[in-house]
Amino acid sequence: RPIKLLRKLTAEMGQSKAEEYFLNSLHVSQEKTALSVRTMQHEQPILAASKPESFSLYISIPFCPTRCAYCSFVAQSTEKTGKLIPQYVDLLCKELEYTAEVAKACNLRLETVYMGGGTPTTLNAQQLGQIIDTVNKNFDMNTCREFTVEAGRPDTITADKLQAMKERGITRISINPQTLNDEVLNLIGRDHTTQQTLDAFHLARAHGFDNINMDLILGLPGEDAADVRNTMEEIMKLAPDNVTVHTLAVKRASRLREELAQHDMTTAEALEEMLDISAEYAERMG
């Protein structure tokens, strides 16, 4: 959390001394220190709008069409556990009702809602509607500034699901290609194609979604800097409203950990180049 630290130091000693501390005591490069300052300044208006009693609500949907090779989340493929979804949704709605009572009793103010997973859009339109209706009915949504549903897997996005979300006030969705390289998508167990990502994005725009995030992972096996540049070029043509860039972390609970010997993994130097490329395109996209 470098920005959190910079903000704390700035409050204690002023920005110029905080920058000096980053540069001289923590040995952060000039470039990264400058980036940290810019990021802190961009975050300030968002943080200023929050109150001490503010809270964010996270709703977990632990189901996916398939389990990605790098995944370490508590999530199951629908092939194995799809029959549990209806009961899970019913119990989740009961828990949301209870959580709303607790929030009300504590005089908490709801700022944001994030439905993540897994892949929430693994659920059908009726199930998505049931959960969103439960949130809208039980929580005070007057103070809620953003309601995100992670529609992460493009192969789960359909017109009826987008309609169900839009008409219930979902303000932001996330469509996550991770890469636009079909060979790598197949290698990491994501059961969709680049074309499906593009189609899902255009369908979401057609349904009026004007705040779309796209997640990318750098350092996937079999990718080099040229592949990342190609992905960023295609992403730039789509003009998403947010882009989230992750770097691959091989966790103990992932299938990829067991398969490492089969792959040429990305070096730190190559990853740095990939990060520079993604930063360059993020700047160009505003």
Side-chain angles (χ1 to χ4, degrees):
R1 299 275 186 265
I3 315 306
K4 191 173 183 180
L5 176 60
L6 181 63
R7 189 179 300 111
K8 177 174 177 284
L9 293 171
T10 299
E12 290 171 0
M13 58 177 74
Q15 187 175 308
S16 60
K17 282 199 167 63
E19 286 182 56
E20 280 177 34
Y21 186 83
F22 257 49
L23 289 163
N24 301 324
S25 298
L26 301 181
H27 308 292
V28 180
S29 71
Q30 193 91 40
E31 183 186 27
K32 286 183 181 174
T33 298
L35 178 60
S36 298
V37 170
R38 282 172 53 212
T39 305
M40 180 179 72
Q41 290 167 345
H42 279 298
E43 285 181 352
Q44 212 52 49
I46 301 165
L47 293 172
S50 286
K51 306 280 189 287
E53 68 275 15
S54 296
F55 79 105
S56 291
L57 178 67
Y58 181 84
I59 303 168
S60 174
I61 309 296
F63 303 98
C64 277
T66 58
R67 190 170 172 85
C68 299
Y70 53 77
C71 181
S72 63
F73 287 111
V74 180
Q76 297 290 331
S77 70
T78 49
E79 187 183 4
K80 287 184 179 177
T81 57
K83 63 182 183 293
L84 298 176
I85 290 177
Q87 186 184 11
Y88 181 86
V89 169
D90 289 342
L91 291 170
L92 177 61
C93 288
K94 285 183 183 176
E95 188 171 351
L96 284 165
E97 289 169 7
Y98 173 71
T99 304
E101 289 175 15
V102 173
K104 192 173 182 181
C106 296
N107 292 314
L108 298 178
R109 166 193 169 105
L110 182 61
E111 292 263 337
T112 65
V113 181
Y114 192 101
M115 194 189 299
T119 307
T121 43
T122 302
L123 308 185
N124 63 36
Q126 183 271 325
Q127 291 161 342
L128 281 169
Q130 183 183 343
I131 294 168
I132 300 165
D133 286 343
T134 301
V135 174
N136 287 335
K137 180 182 171 187
N138 289 278
F139 290 86
D140 180 2
M141 302 302 285
N142 291 318
T143 56
C144 186
R145 292 187 285 152
E146 186 175 272
F147 194 144
T148 299
V149 173
E150 192 166 358
R153 295 282 286 263
D155 46 325
T156 65
I157 297 171
T158 59
D160 62 335
K161 293 177 191 180
L162 289 167
Q163 186 61 33
M165 292 189 285
K166 189 66 183 170
E167 65 191 19
R168 287 172 171 81
I170 298 305
T171 58
R172 180 174 177 265
I173 62 171
S174 192
I175 299 171
N176 302 338
Q178 313 304 12
T179 174
L180 294 179
N181 181 329
D182 281 343
E183 284 181 28
V184 174
L185 286 171
N186 186 49
L187 182 69
I188 61 177
R190 283 185 73 87
D191 213 10
H192 65 83
T193 63
T194 294
Q195 190 59 50
Q196 283 176 296
T197 300
L198 304 180
D199 292 345
F201 189 93
H202 294 308
L203 187 63
R205 284 289 198 231
H207 277 78
F209 283 96
D210 57 6
N211 193 352
I212 301 177
N213 173 68
M214 301 191 90
D215 271 21
L216 303 171
I217 299 179
L218 306 184
L220 291 168
E223 288 222 304
D224 58 21
D227 294 315
V228 172
R229 187 171 290 280
N230 178 66
T231 291
M232 295 307 300
E233 277 287 339
E234 295 304 312
I235 294 291
M236 188 163 67
K237 290 175 192 171
L238 293 174
D241 308 281
N242 317 140
V243 175
T244 305
V245 178
H246 302 273
T247 53
L248 179 67
V250 182
K251 304 286 178 67
R252 277 199 306 275
S254 69
R255 176 164 55 85
L256 187 58
R257 174 122 181 157
E258 298 167 18
E259 300 173 353
L260 279 179
Q262 302 170 31
H263 304 296
D264 292 328
M265 300 307 287
T266 310
T267 64
E269 292 76 17
L271 191 59
E272 194 166 334
E273 184 182 358
M274 292 174 180
L275 283 163
D276 287 343
I277 290 167
S278 64
E280 172 202 330
Y281 277 88
E283 290 271 9
R284 287 166 66 182
M285 286 188 275

